[in-house]
Amino acid sequence: MVVLAIFVYWPIVESLRLSLNRVAPFGNAEIFVGLDQYTRLLTSGEFWNNVLVSIYFMLGTVPVGIGLAVVIALLLSYPVRRLSWAHRMLIFVPVVISSAVAGVLFRWLYNPVVGHINTWLGAFGIDGPNWLNTRTWALFAVTVAVVWRQLGFNVIIALAGLQQIDDSYYDAAKVDGAGTWDRIRYVTLPLLSPTLLFLVVINVIISFQAFGEIDILTMGGPGQATENLVYSVFVDGFVGTRFRGLASAQAFLLALLVMGVSFVQFRGFRSRVHYG
Amino acid sequence: MTAIEADLATMSTQESTSTPPAETSGRGEFPLHLVLFTIGIIVSTPIIVAIFTSFTSLNRILADPNSIWSAPWTFENYVSAWTATPFGRFMINSFIQTGIITIAQVTFSILAGFAFAIFRFPGRNILFGIVLGSLMVPFELTFIPNFILISNLGWANTYQGLTIPFLASAFGVFMLRQFFMALPRDLYEAAKIDGASDWYYLWRIMVPLSKGAISALTIFSFLGAWNQYLWPLVITNEESMRTAQIGIRFFMANQERAFDWGAIMAGATIVMLPTLLVFLVAQKQLVKGIAMSGLKG
């Protein structure tokens, strides 16, 4: 209790206070500046770039990550008798990999000269780009790494959701003459919707918090092409000249953004989620 | 098991007749095996490439990346990673940090979960609301003030600094409370009548009955702590206090200039080895635990 109070609740207040104050460039005097830092952020192009990166990043990771996970889970839900443990093992394994290690592994795969991705592309006669140093490819490259690290978790949740669906629904649909796709469309997906809602909410939060892969793969670059809000909080708060107030203000806006998006999802999905 | 699964099999075999799974022969399963195995290999490729690279000598890696798939294998990358940077120290730091966090989170969660599930005390609901509410506070909101607090206490670059903010886990308290509440209250009353103390009841009856949930929580805590990145990155700046995750970051930054990808992959393999071992040993509990927390949510 005490730990939670000190390290979770008190910091919220402190965070708000920091975001309203600016530390003088020389010395440690804190100057109360009210909402100054917020207006500064909201009128700066850099801040909106970071917001956009966060949003692109969410749009890139969440639908693809969950779509892949549902397809794989559908395939895995077919009870093969032998070797199923091996398939599961190979597919679930990213769940234990840290963001730092994922970043390092992908940095090697993306290496423009001796990396495996460009070597494989070369085998097909394709000249792979310099993934991490090209503005257009860097965000895509980081997105792939984060989708990969999340995949094991998402498949496990989707599979558990599929296994909750009672067989009788499928039998009834079959009696009514529904084909495979009809059954997936009208039986599986609606009955899976509570699980999908959970996956969407969790993945959106995770995508907004992506940090390790970005730090290791691109450090927010090239330029600021992959600098999302969390990375910007880190840069402003901890690298070089420190602007803790500015960083806190961004953290606050980020938190509001995450909570706002989650709230909209709950409201928007509530009418469409079917509880079996 | 069901029609849809039979259809999936049909889809992947491109046959027009659906085969009831109960009668499926090993031969009929083969295409699905192939599809799943291919997906599995694609998914684990980054890990497989890293491990193979770590056992191939640097000259061969740089001459032809595909040479990692064939012998001769070598340990030289591990030797050079281990001697170039204090990986041993990083691993010990990580084990201490992870050990403290895991033991504390599990113990606190058992005690608090028990209190919230069994005792009726004034303010219980308010306290539980505070615990639950903290689950919804985004991490980025708390970490700058926590950093300032820990630094002002002089705990930067110490084990206290690495662990104390994470000693309690609201998720763990919630998870075990739900689990303890599911056990019949009659059991508690009966134990009381037989003269068991609360302490005895908790450790001798409840904990053994909740082995599954507690081991899942232990695995979660272990993985969460071992894989932490942002916090140890900002709270340590001395090499001797870095955790394995932070160690590999700086090691990569240094070695990349020397193109020593063999050593970097050896380092990455060392860092992920403990979690891979946990995965191999406890895959079932881990998967069950994740599935359980997903269905509750």
Side-chain angles (χ1 to χ4, degrees):
Chain A
M1 284 309 297
V2 176
V3 175
L4 284 180
I6 294 180
F7 292 103
V8 178
Y9 284 100
W10 178 79
I12 299 178
V13 182
E14 180 68 6
S15 205
L16 186 62
R17 193 184 66 74
L18 281 171
S19 75
L20 296 176
N21 287 275
R22 195 165 61 89
V23 179
F26 302 103
N28 283 316
E30 286 189 5
I31 309 158
F32 183 78
V33 292
L35 293 175
D36 249 26
Q37 302 189 104
Y38 287 94
T39 39
R40 229 177 99 193
L41 281 175
L42 294 172
T43 53
S44 91
E46 206 177 294
F47 172 75
W48 289 109
N49 165 70
N50 302 339
V51 172
L52 271 184
V53 169
S54 289
I55 290 174
Y56 285 150
F57 199 67
M58 174 190 85
L59 294 176
T61 51
V62 177
V64 177
I66 295 177
L68 275 178
V70 170
V71 171
I72 294 175
L74 277 169
L75 289 170
L76 277 176
S77 68
Y78 179 75
V80 285
R81 251 169 278 120
R82 284 163 305 130
L83 287 175
S84 66
W85 62 270
H87 304 320
R88 280 162 200 244
M89 209 82 162
L90 288 171
I91 292 172
F92 293 166
V93 67
V95 84
V96 298
I97 303 295
S98 70
S99 57
V101 170
V104 173
L105 301 190
F106 273 88
R107 197 174 171 106
W108 169 227
L109 292 177
Y110 284 134
N111 187 295
V113 187
V114 284
H116 282 262
I117 291 180
N118 280 0
T119 311
W120 291 323
L121 287 176
F124 293 101
I126 302 168
D127 205 8
N130 187 342
W131 296 97
L132 301 174
N133 285 318
T134 325
R135 280 193 83 87
T136 37
W137 287 112
L139 190 60
F140 172 80
V142 177
T143 304
V144 170
V146 173
V147 167
W148 177 75
R149 180 168 55 86
Q150 271 308 109
L151 190 67
F153 174 84
N154 289 341
V155 173
I156 292 170
I157 301 271
L159 189 58
L162 282 177
Q163 283 165 349
Q164 289 278 302
I165 299 175
D166 201 276
D167 291 355
S168 60
Y169 290 106
Y170 294 124
D171 296 339
K174 215 173 183 183
V175 170
D176 289 344
T180 309
W181 289 116
D182 285 345
R183 261 173 275 156
I184 291 180
R185 168 76 186 76
Y186 295 107
V187 180
T188 312
L189 291 182
L191 288 172
L192 198 61
S193 55
T195 309
L196 291 178
L197 173 62
F198 173 77
L199 280 178
V200 169
V201 172
I202 293 282
N203 277 279
V204 165
I205 293 174
I206 289 170
S207 82
F208 276 119
Q209 291 178 335
F211 177 81
E213 283 91 351
I214 294 177
D215 187 41
I216 286 183
L217 286 172
T218 63
M219 300 188 90
Q224 293 184 322
T226 55
E227 182 169 329
N228 65 0
L229 276 172
V230 182
Y231 203 77
S232 162
V233 170
F234 168 72
V235 170
D236 287 346
F238 296 94
V239 180
T241 321
R242 285 152 191 200
F243 305 100
R244 293 267 151 76
L246 206 59
S248 294
Q250 288 178 70
F252 228 88
L253 292 174
L254 171 60
L256 284 180
L257 186 66
V258 172
M259 289 197 267
V261 171
S262 304
F263 180 73
V264 168
Q265 284 164 353
F266 275 114
R267 287 296 295 264
F269 276 96
R270 200 171 47 188
S271 53
R272 282 189 258 158
V273 167
H274 301 258
Y275 291 95
Chain B
M1 206 192 301
T2 60
I4 194 148
E5 286 152 350
D7 281 333
L8 281 167
T10 324
M11 259 158 38
S12 56
T13 54
Q14 302 292 322
E15 289 165 6
S16 52
T17 54
S18 91
T19 331
E23 296 159 27
T24 312
S25 66
R27 193 175 51 83
E29 286 178 354
F30 180 72
L32 188 63
H33 273 303
L34 197 66
V35 171
L36 287 173
F37 189 69
T38 312
I39 295 175
I41 292 293
I42 294 173
V43 170
S44 23
T45 292
I47 298 168
I48 298 170
V49 166
I51 294 173
F52 274 89
T53 306
S54 73
F55 286 111
T56 309
S57 74
L58 187 59
N59 294 335
R60 293 180 65 226
I61 298 171
L62 295 181
D64 173 18
N66 283 323
S67 64
I68 62 168
W69 305 117
S70 56
W73 313 116
T74 165
F75 270 104
E76 65 185 39
N77 294 322
Y78 285 89
V79 175
S80 70
W82 200 265
T83 46
T85 199
F87 260 111
R89 179 72 206 220
F90 300 158
M91 294 297 276
I92 291 170
N93 288 341
S94 267
F95 275 115
I96 293 175
Q97 167 237 9
T98 306
I100 294 174
I101 292 178
T102 307
I103 292 169
Q105 284 192 351
V106 173
T107 315
F108 280 168
S109 299
I110 290 174
L111 294 174
F114 178 71
F116 281 124
I118 297 290
F119 298 142
R120 305 215 160 106
F121 53 89
R124 180 177 78 155
N125 290 337
I126 297 171
L127 278 180
F128 190 62
I130 293 175
V131 171
L132 272 192
S134 73
L135 274 175
M136 285 159 215
V137 178
F139 170 69
E140 52 270 17
L141 206 51
T142 57
F143 95 96
I144 295 175
N146 279 346
F147 173 82
I148 295 172
L149 174 66
I150 294 288
S151 309
N152 288 345
L153 288 170
W155 286 350
N157 289 310
T158 63
Y159 291 117
Q160 297 96 289
L162 280 170
T163 56
I164 284 182
F166 305 100
L167 292 187
S169 151
F171 169 78
V173 173
F174 177 62
M175 180 175 157
L176 290 188
R177 172 197 178 255
Q178 297 304 93
F179 206 87
F180 289 157
M181 298 252 291
L183 298 174
R185 192 163 177 96
D186 290 350
L187 198 63
Y188 175 68
E189 312 286 357
K192 280 301 225 188
I193 290 168
D194 288 345
S197 67
D198 288 325
W199 193 249
Y200 182 91
Y201 177 72
L202 170 63
W203 294 105
R204 289 301 164 86
I205 297 170
M206 241 179 184
V207 168
L209 282 176
S210 320
K211 247 190 251 153
I214 292 171
S215 54
L217 179 64
T218 310
I219 300 168
F220 286 162
S221 295
F222 176 86
L223 291 177
W226 185 270
N227 288 342
Q228 262 186 14
Y229 187 67
L230 183 51
W231 181 258
L233 178 64
V234 297
I235 205 68
T236 60
N237 53 31
E238 284 167 17
E239 189 176 54
S240 64
M241 282 308 295
R242 280 180 195 155
T243 63
Q245 309 290 338
I246 310 308
I248 188 71
R249 181 221 204 213
F250 286 99
F251 182 63
M252 188 196 72
N254 286 333
Q255 299 304 118
E256 203 177 17
R257 270 176 247 132
F259 296 102
D260 196 353
W261 280 101
I264 297 171
M265 289 299 122
T269 306
I270 295 172
V271 174
M272 66 181 166
L273 194 63
T275 58
L276 286 178
L277 288 178
V278 166
F279 180 73
L280 287 178
V281 173
Q283 195 215 154
K284 254 199 190 125
Q285 287 95 317
L286 174 66
V287 171
K288 242 197 225 155
I290 294 175
M292 216 161 60
S293 61
L295 294 176
K296 292 242 167 73

